[in-house]
Amino acid sequence: QVQLAESGGGLVQPGRSLRLSCAVPDGTLSSYTVGWFRQAPGKDREFVAAIHWRGISTEYADSVKGRFTISRDTAKGTVDLQMNSLEPEDTAVYYCNTVLWGTRDGFSPWGQGTQVTVSS
Protein backbone atom coordinates (compact mmCIF):
# COMPACT_ATOMS: atom_id res chain seq x y z
CA GLN A 1 0.00 0.00 0.00
CA VAL A 2 1.16 3.49 -0.83
CA GLN A 3 -0.11 6.97 -0.16
CA LEU A 4 -0.80 9.14 -3.17
CA ALA A 5 -1.76 12.82 -3.37
CA GLU A 6 -4.12 14.46 -5.85
CA SER A 7 -4.03 18.04 -7.10
CA GLY A 8 -5.24 20.25 -9.92
CA GLY A 9 -8.98 20.42 -9.38
CA GLY A 10 -11.08 23.54 -9.73
CA LEU A 11 -14.10 25.21 -11.26
CA VAL A 12 -14.34 25.06 -15.04
CA GLN A 13 -17.00 25.83 -17.62
CA PRO A 14 -18.61 23.08 -19.71
CA GLY A 15 -16.56 22.24 -22.77
CA ARG A 16 -13.29 23.38 -21.23
CA SER A 17 -10.31 21.34 -20.08
CA LEU A 18 -8.57 20.60 -16.81
CA ARG A 19 -5.50 18.55 -15.89
CA LEU A 20 -5.24 16.63 -12.64
CA SER A 21 -2.01 15.31 -11.19
CA CYS A 22 -1.32 12.45 -8.81
CA ALA A 23 1.98 12.46 -6.95
CA VAL A 24 3.28 8.97 -6.18
CA PRO A 25 6.14 7.81 -3.92
CA ASP A 26 9.46 6.86 -5.50
CA GLY A 27 9.37 3.44 -7.08
CA THR A 28 5.60 3.22 -7.21
CA LEU A 29 5.25 3.56 -10.97
CA SER A 30 7.66 0.69 -11.62
CA SER A 31 5.59 -1.67 -9.50
CA TYR A 32 1.98 -0.51 -9.42
CA THR A 33 -0.78 0.24 -11.86
CA VAL A 34 -2.28 3.62 -10.93
CA GLY A 35 -5.80 4.74 -11.63
CA TRP A 36 -8.15 7.66 -11.25
CA PHE A 37 -11.57 7.44 -9.63
CA ARG A 38 -14.30 9.93 -8.89
CA GLN A 39 -17.23 10.33 -6.54
CA ALA A 40 -20.12 12.64 -7.35
CA PRO A 41 -22.46 13.88 -4.62
CA GLY A 42 -24.84 11.14 -3.53
CA LYS A 43 -23.16 8.50 -5.69
CA ASP A 44 -20.69 5.71 -5.17
CA ARG A 45 -17.06 6.13 -6.09
CA GLU A 46 -16.45 4.98 -9.66
CA PHE A 47 -13.50 4.05 -11.81
CA VAL A 48 -12.35 6.59 -14.40
CA ALA A 49 -9.05 5.45 -15.92
CA ALA A 50 -5.90 3.45 -15.21
CA ILE A 51 -2.42 3.09 -16.65
CA HIS A 52 -0.57 -0.22 -16.37
CA TRP A 53 2.62 -0.28 -14.30
CA ARG A 54 4.60 -1.07 -17.45
CA GLY A 55 3.09 2.02 -19.06
CA ILE A 56 2.05 0.06 -22.13
CA SER A 57 -1.70 -0.10 -21.59
CA THR A 58 -4.48 2.20 -20.47
CA GLU A 59 -8.10 1.61 -19.59
CA TYR A 60 -11.05 4.01 -19.43
CA ALA A 61 -14.62 4.08 -18.25
CA ASP A 62 -17.04 4.36 -21.17
CA SER A 63 -18.30 7.70 -19.86
CA VAL A 64 -14.90 9.38 -20.34
CA LYS A 65 -13.46 7.47 -23.29
CA GLY A 66 -12.34 9.87 -26.01
CA ARG A 67 -12.40 12.87 -23.67
CA PHE A 68 -9.97 11.95 -20.88
CA THR A 69 -6.36 10.80 -21.23
CA ILE A 70 -4.27 9.22 -18.50
CA SER A 71 -0.49 9.47 -18.67
CA ARG A 72 2.49 9.14 -16.41
CA ASP A 73 5.87 10.77 -15.95
CA THR A 74 8.25 8.37 -14.22
CA ALA A 75 10.92 11.06 -13.82
CA LYS A 76 8.54 13.35 -11.97
CA GLY A 77 6.68 10.57 -10.20
CA THR A 78 3.24 11.65 -11.35
CA VAL A 79 0.18 10.21 -13.06
CA ASP A 80 -1.87 12.86 -14.81
CA LEU A 81 -5.45 12.92 -16.03
CA GLN A 82 -6.09 15.30 -18.91
CA MET A 83 -9.80 16.03 -19.06
CA ASN A 84 -11.20 17.65 -22.20
CA SER A 85 -14.73 18.56 -23.25
CA LEU A 86 -15.83 18.56 -19.64
CA GLU A 87 -19.50 18.14 -18.85
CA PRO A 88 -21.51 19.01 -15.73
CA GLU A 89 -21.81 15.24 -15.14
CA ASP A 90 -18.03 15.16 -14.60
CA THR A 91 -18.45 17.17 -11.41
CA ALA A 92 -17.02 15.07 -8.59
CA VAL A 93 -14.18 14.62 -6.16
CA TYR A 94 -11.38 12.89 -8.05
CA TYR A 95 -9.02 10.42 -6.41
CA CYS A 96 -6.01 8.43 -7.53
CA ASN A 97 -5.04 5.05 -6.17
CA THR A 98 -3.06 1.94 -6.92
CA VAL A 99 -5.07 -0.62 -8.86
CA LEU A 100 -4.91 -4.30 -9.64
CA TRP A 101 -5.00 -4.30 -13.43
CA GLY A 102 -8.36 -5.46 -14.70
CA THR A 103 -10.21 -5.05 -11.40
CA ARG A 104 -10.94 -1.32 -11.50
CA ASP A 105 -10.61 -1.27 -7.71
CA GLY A 106 -8.22 0.83 -5.65
CA PHE A 107 -6.38 -0.97 -2.85
CA SER A 108 -4.28 1.64 -1.07
CA PRO A 109 -5.62 4.13 1.48
CA TRP A 110 -7.73 6.79 -0.15
CA GLY A 111 -6.46 10.37 -0.07
CA GLN A 112 -8.51 13.52 0.25
CA GLY A 113 -9.06 13.86 -3.48
CA THR A 114 -9.39 17.02 -5.52
CA GLN A 115 -12.70 18.69 -6.32
CA VAL A 116 -13.68 19.24 -9.95
CA THR A 117 -16.75 21.36 -10.61
CA VAL A 118 -18.04 21.83 -14.13
CA SER A 119 -20.53 24.65 -14.27
CA SER A 120 -21.35 27.76 -16.24
PDB file of all heavy atoms in Angstrom, residues 12-13 15-19 82-86:
ATOM      1  N   VAL A  12     -14.559  24.867 -13.611  1.00  0.00           N
ATOM      2  CA  VAL A  12     -14.339  25.056 -15.043  1.00  0.00           C
ATOM      3  C   VAL A  12     -15.680  25.046 -15.763  1.00  0.00           C
ATOM      4  O   VAL A  12     -16.624  24.393 -15.313  1.00  0.00           O
ATOM      5  CB  VAL A  12     -13.393  23.961 -15.591  1.00  0.00           C
ATOM      6  CG1 VAL A  12     -14.014  22.583 -15.451  1.00  0.00           C
ATOM      7  CG2 VAL A  12     -12.975  24.240 -17.011  1.00  0.00           C
ATOM      8  N   GLN A  13     -15.762  25.771 -16.862  1.00  0.00           N
ATOM      9  CA  GLN A  13     -17.002  25.830 -17.622  1.00  0.00           C
ATOM     10  C   GLN A  13     -17.166  24.592 -18.491  1.00  0.00           C
ATOM     11  O   GLN A  13     -16.168  23.977 -18.904  1.00  0.00           O
ATOM     12  CB  GLN A  13     -17.008  27.080 -18.505  1.00  0.00           C
ATOM     13  CG  GLN A  13     -17.065  28.375 -17.726  1.00  0.00           C
ATOM     14  CD  GLN A  13     -17.059  29.588 -18.644  1.00  0.00           C
ATOM     15  OE1 GLN A  13     -16.499  29.544 -19.746  1.00  0.00           O
ATOM     16  NE2 GLN A  13     -17.659  30.670 -18.195  1.00  0.00           N
ATOM     17  N   GLY A  15     -17.298  22.191 -21.525  1.00  0.00           N
ATOM     18  CA  GLY A  15     -16.561  22.237 -22.773  1.00  0.00           C
ATOM     19  C   GLY A  15     -15.090  22.565 -22.630  1.00  0.00           C
ATOM     20  O   GLY A  15     -14.315  22.378 -23.586  1.00  0.00           O
ATOM     21  N   ARG A  16     -14.686  23.036 -21.448  1.00  0.00           N
ATOM     22  CA  ARG A  16     -13.287  23.384 -21.228  1.00  0.00           C
ATOM     23  C   ARG A  16     -12.494  22.183 -20.727  1.00  0.00           C
ATOM     24  O   ARG A  16     -13.034  21.072 -20.585  1.00  0.00           O
ATOM     25  CB  ARG A  16     -13.198  24.550 -20.225  1.00  0.00           C
ATOM     26  CG  ARG A  16     -13.986  25.768 -20.622  1.00  0.00           C
ATOM     27  CD  ARG A  16     -13.516  26.347 -21.937  1.00  0.00           C
ATOM     28  NE  ARG A  16     -12.197  26.928 -21.876  1.00  0.00           N
ATOM     29  CZ  ARG A  16     -11.978  28.230 -21.658  1.00  0.00           C
ATOM     30  NH1 ARG A  16     -12.983  29.049 -21.482  1.00  0.00           N
ATOM     31  NH2 ARG A  16     -10.747  28.701 -21.631  1.00  0.00           N
ATOM     32  N   SER A  17     -11.213  22.422 -20.475  1.00  0.00           N
ATOM     33  CA  SER A  17     -10.309  21.341 -20.078  1.00  0.00           C
ATOM     34  C   SER A  17      -9.713  21.593 -18.705  1.00  0.00           C
ATOM     35  O   SER A  17      -9.661  22.735 -18.241  1.00  0.00           O
ATOM     36  CB  SER A  17      -9.176  21.204 -21.097  1.00  0.00           C
ATOM     37  OG  SER A  17      -9.682  20.891 -22.376  1.00  0.00           O
ATOM     38  N   LEU A  18      -9.238  20.519 -18.101  1.00  0.00           N
ATOM     39  CA  LEU A  18      -8.571  20.596 -16.805  1.00  0.00           C
ATOM     40  C   LEU A  18      -7.617  19.419 -16.719  1.00  0.00           C
ATOM     41  O   LEU A  18      -7.893  18.338 -17.257  1.00  0.00           O
ATOM     42  CB  LEU A  18      -9.599  20.530 -15.674  1.00  0.00           C
ATOM     43  CG  LEU A  18      -9.207  21.050 -14.296  1.00  0.00           C
ATOM     44  CD1 LEU A  18      -8.868  22.537 -14.353  1.00  0.00           C
ATOM     45  CD2 LEU A  18     -10.358  20.812 -13.313  1.00  0.00           C
ATOM     46  N   ARG A  19      -6.502  19.624 -16.034  1.00  0.00           N
ATOM     47  CA  ARG A  19      -5.503  18.548 -15.887  1.00  0.00           C
ATOM     48  C   ARG A  19      -5.274  18.288 -14.415  1.00  0.00           C
ATOM     49  O   ARG A  19      -4.895  19.188 -13.670  1.00  0.00           O
ATOM     50  CB  ARG A  19      -4.193  18.938 -16.571  1.00  0.00           C
ATOM     51  CG  ARG A  19      -3.181  17.799 -16.656  1.00  0.00           C
ATOM     52  CD  ARG A  19      -1.949  18.239 -17.438  1.00  0.00           C
ATOM     53  NE  ARG A  19      -0.980  17.186 -17.642  1.00  0.00           N
ATOM     54  CZ  ARG A  19      -0.975  16.397 -18.707  1.00  0.00           C
ATOM     55  NH1 ARG A  19      -1.895  16.546 -19.650  1.00  0.00           N
ATOM     56  NH2 ARG A  19      -0.052  15.449 -18.842  1.00  0.00           N
ATOM     57  N   GLN A  82      -5.692  14.175 -18.076  1.00  0.00           N
ATOM     58  CA  GLN A  82      -6.091  15.301 -18.914  1.00  0.00           C
ATOM     59  C   GLN A  82      -7.563  15.136 -19.255  1.00  0.00           C
ATOM     60  O   GLN A  82      -7.950  14.131 -19.855  1.00  0.00           O
ATOM     61  CB  GLN A  82      -5.252  15.344 -20.193  1.00  0.00           C
ATOM     62  CG  GLN A  82      -5.652  16.447 -21.160  1.00  0.00           C
ATOM     63  CD  GLN A  82      -5.388  17.827 -20.612  1.00  0.00           C
ATOM     64  OE1 GLN A  82      -4.355  18.066 -19.987  1.00  0.00           O
ATOM     65  NE2 GLN A  82      -6.306  18.746 -20.852  1.00  0.00           N
ATOM     66  N   MET A  83      -8.360  16.112 -18.866  1.00  0.00           N
ATOM     67  CA  MET A  83      -9.802  16.034 -19.057  1.00  0.00           C
ATOM     68  C   MET A  83     -10.234  17.122 -20.029  1.00  0.00           C
ATOM     69  O   MET A  83     -10.093  18.320 -19.733  1.00  0.00           O
ATOM     70  CB  MET A  83     -10.514  16.198 -17.721  1.00  0.00           C
ATOM     71  CG  MET A  83     -10.041  15.222 -16.652  1.00  0.00           C
ATOM     72  SD  MET A  83     -10.986  15.323 -15.115  1.00  0.00           S
ATOM     73  CE  MET A  83     -10.569  16.969 -14.579  1.00  0.00           C
ATOM     74  N   ASN A  84     -10.727  16.720 -21.178  1.00  0.00           N
ATOM     75  CA  ASN A  84     -11.199  17.648 -22.199  1.00  0.00           C
ATOM     76  C   ASN A  84     -12.710  17.541 -22.362  1.00  0.00           C
ATOM     77  O   ASN A  84     -13.317  16.562 -21.946  1.00  0.00           O
ATOM     78  CB  ASN A  84     -10.513  17.344 -23.533  1.00  0.00           C
ATOM     79  CG  ASN A  84      -9.011  17.512 -23.469  1.00  0.00           C
ATOM     80  OD1 ASN A  84      -8.478  18.327 -22.716  1.00  0.00           O
ATOM     81  ND2 ASN A  84      -8.290  16.720 -24.269  1.00  0.00           N
ATOM     82  N   SER A  85     -13.280  18.554 -22.986  1.00  0.00           N
ATOM     83  CA  SER A  85     -14.729  18.558 -23.247  1.00  0.00           C
ATOM     84  C   SER A  85     -15.519  18.219 -21.989  1.00  0.00           C
ATOM     85  O   SER A  85     -16.414  17.357 -22.006  1.00  0.00           O
ATOM     86  CB  SER A  85     -15.060  17.564 -24.362  1.00  0.00           C
ATOM     87  OG  SER A  85     -14.349  17.881 -25.539  1.00  0.00           O
ATOM     88  N   LEU A  86     -15.196  18.878 -20.916  1.00  0.00           N
ATOM     89  CA  LEU A  86     -15.826  18.560 -19.640  1.00  0.00           C
ATOM     90  C   LEU A  86     -17.318  18.864 -19.658  1.00  0.00           C
ATOM     91  O   LEU A  86     -17.779  19.828 -20.310  1.00  0.00           O
ATOM     92  CB  LEU A  86     -15.149  19.333 -18.509  1.00  0.00           C
ATOM     93  CG  LEU A  86     -13.808  18.737 -18.069  1.00  0.00           C
ATOM     94  CD1 LEU A  86     -12.979  19.739 -17.297  1.00  0.00           C
ATOM     95  CD2 LEU A  86     -14.044  17.480 -17.236  1.00  0.00           C
TER      96      LEU A  86
END
